Amino acid sequence: MDKLIQKLINYNPKADIAFLRKAYNVAEAAHRNQWRISGEPYIFHPLAVAKILADLELDIEALAGALLHDVVEDTEITLQDIEKDFGSEVALLVDGVTKLSKIDFKSKEEHQAENLRKMFLAMAKDIRVILIKLADRLHNLRTLGAQPEAKQKEIALETLEIFAPLAHRLGIYHLKWEIEDLAFRFLQPSKYYELADKVAKTRNKREEDINEIIEVLKKKFIDVGIKADIQGRPKHLYSIYEKMQRQKKDFAQILDIMAVRVTVDTVKDCYGTLGIVHTLWKPIPGRFKDYIAMPKSNMYQSLHTTVIGPHGDPFEIQMRTWEMHRTAEYGIAAHWCYKEGGHAQKGFDGKLIWLRQLLEWQHDMRDAKEFIEGLKIDIFAESVFVFSPKGDIIELPAEAVPIDFAFRIHTDVGNRCMGAKVNGRIVPLDYKLKNGDIVEVLTSNHARPSRDWLKIVKTSQAKNRIRQYFRKIQRDVSVIKGKDAIEREAKKLGLELELLKSDKIIEAARKYSLINLEDVYAAIGDGTITARSIVARIKGEIDRINKENAYTDMMNSGGSGVSVVGGREKYGKWQKPTDGIKVKGMANLLTKLAQCCNPVPGDPIIGYITRGRGISVHRTDCRNITIYRKGEQERLVDVAWDEKYKAPFQVKLEVTALDRAGLLSDIMAILTDMKISADWVNARGNKDRLATVGLLITIKDLVQLDSIINKIKSVKDVTEVSRTGLK
């Protein structure tokens, strides 16, 4: 902690040290008696994350957020506690990096996608969220050796696919290089160490060549009066490996694995240096890049040129100013200030256009796998920079086509796109755009998107807009089809059309989470639900109301024929069964199985006359029946199962077991073997390593249910299987 404070004082002598110590004390107390897998006290981790951020010279709120970044997720401290003690700014940072761990997700991909959505939304409010997350990931990688091999590879892969490209997007090369190399080492250790060995064996020769080049440049700079710092910079292992893969070359064919970096005072000196370099050594055509005139989207600026060196080998020289160098190392962190309520430096907001675009299309993309793939393509892929006819620069992923450009301009331009010109010449719509292309979209009011476009566009934005167009077209057709289907079904069931009021249709469709009439018609039209299911529910409700009215009339007239349980005498005959249930003494009454005890054929049952909802059928051992016997005995009636009724029944089971890998798979395997369908599954664990698995299954009778329960009880580590209500 003293080292962290010293780092802070070195770049901010006026910092509130007491505030930072308070954050450390809270974190240390919260994580006390918690240990990392490596055996270190847990507090070592948030402290290391804060020190990484101090190297980026971040403000004290970011350092406090780093110290506290795991307390909400891993301890009893709440976000409200953080906000009360450290303010809303620190609370926002902590919340932004806290994973969504208390929500049940359908899949691991959905969990990852929702955590990333949450993080990006927090980034939009405060970019320091991602800086804390990157520092957190870097320290986790530094200590990843303590994790099992499978976990190492999982974290390393996610790092290379998401977090390293994100560091690149934000221009934080100070973190990016180490993150990539560490992830590469754990993901492909054999290739990492093989490459490291080859680099080490050729290091002396490369350093001699670089030193020779540096000496020549120093003498020339003295002659022309340019003040410069010249350094040799070895390329990182992962960047060498990526180049070998991209160019399909082996290590011996990659010649420019070291570069010379020249740092000068002014932009004028950058271009002056470029002239000197090109007079000393012959430049390789096509290998000059001017990132000063056209900066990268991550704010990176520099001149790059590759020349043939004194011994015939190519080498790269980079030229930049000191300010450019700081931006290249620290990226977004070098351009953000928070002192005294300050905000981003002027013009900085434009550097985060890609983040705003991500937030726009991520709302439309609910599929988790598609969301993750969209990130890799739209946000983290290599970019091309093209121009509109007016000279505006548009950034697109590599291999984007004119349709991507059209939708980036505006959805309406994309929908009316009929062709494109690139550099004044008409090109096909699958033409792959290149850096510097001037793109003009040709539109027509009669043009429409084609489904074939989905196969050639590269951006998620374009794909979403094309799908939305066809969904809207399809929806209009589906609404008409759905309305017609409802009317036809009503006629089949003898239901008058005037009874099909919109509120009745919406109420019947509520179980499908449809909230307006058009949604219901569209769902029926596209086959998501059937008109029969909606109309049958409406008819069933109307029949129920009619039966209830008849029952009320009967009760008001004396209740002749009612068989009362627990009275001095029982009289009346068993009536015709309804939905598998026979009632003694009453006919044409609605019956339903109680969800509190969920009876199935074979269970001893009893009926309870509800107020306005027919007869509720319970198991005789239901706790609600015990209550009714004490206070409402007169409402209990004899009921029985209809032996001829063969409809399936739903039962909810709760399985308690010791938590372990494969537990849920073992339970589901039993259901599969018995050809039992599970309509709903929920699994959760607790701190005591106990797992609870909830199952909603469909069965035919009590015999089958007993068999299922006994087989699940035989599963390893299962301690209890019990029936629960459906509520």
Side-chain angles (χ1 to χ4, degrees), residues 660-671 673 711-712 715-716:
R660 64 171 174 83
L663 173 66
L664 185 58
S665 298
D666 291 346
I667 294 172
M668 297 306 293
I670 288 176
L671 298 183
D673 289 343
K711 288 192 176 185
I712 294 176
V715 172
K716 179 185 176 184

Side-chain angles (χ1 to χ4, degrees), residues 177-240:
W177 302 125
E178 187 179 358
I179 284 175
E180 285 184 335
D181 276 2
L182 286 170
F184 177 36
R185 191 179 93 195
F186 287 107
L187 190 62
Q188 301 189 68
S190 60
K191 291 181 180 179
Y192 173 88
Y193 287 111
E194 179 186 353
L195 189 57
D197 184 56
K198 289 178 179 178
V199 169
K201 287 178 179 177
T202 60
R203 179 178 289 120
N204 291 338
K205 173 65 169 62
R206 289 197 316 274
E207 288 181 349
E208 289 175 8
D209 293 345
I210 291 294
N211 289 335
E212 182 180 344
I213 292 166
I214 290 174
E215 288 303 316
V216 172
L217 285 175
K218 281 182 177 178
K219 291 177 182 178
K220 195 67 177 177
F221 287 158
I222 291 172
D223 293 341
V224 298
I226 292 179
K227 183 181 177 183
D229 177 76
I230 311 172
Q231 301 287 337
R233 184 186 67 82
K235 288 198 174 181
H236 293 264
L237 293 179
Y238 185 68
S239 65
I240 297 173

Side-chain angles (χ1 to χ4, degrees), residues 39-106:
E40 298 175 332
Y42 195 92
I43 191 62
F44 279 27
H45 171 64
L47 195 53
V49 172
K51 288 169 73 175
I52 292 170
L53 295 183
D55 289 335
L56 297 177
E57 299 187 359
L58 289 194
D59 57 285
I60 197 165
E61 286 81 11
L63 300 188
L67 289 171
L68 296 163
H69 80 272
D70 273 339
V71 295
V72 173
E73 189 174 330
D74 295 335
T75 76
E76 299 301 317
I77 292 179
T78 66
L79 206 57
Q80 290 71 26
D81 296 331
I82 299 293
E83 185 168 7
K84 178 182 176 183
D85 293 336
F86 299 96
S88 57
E89 202 170 324
V90 175
L92 172 64
L93 298 178
V94 173
D95 184 42
V97 295
T98 299
K99 292 190 185 111
L100 299 168
S101 58
K102 297 179 181 177
I103 299 175
D104 289 329
F105 293 99
K106 295 178 182 177

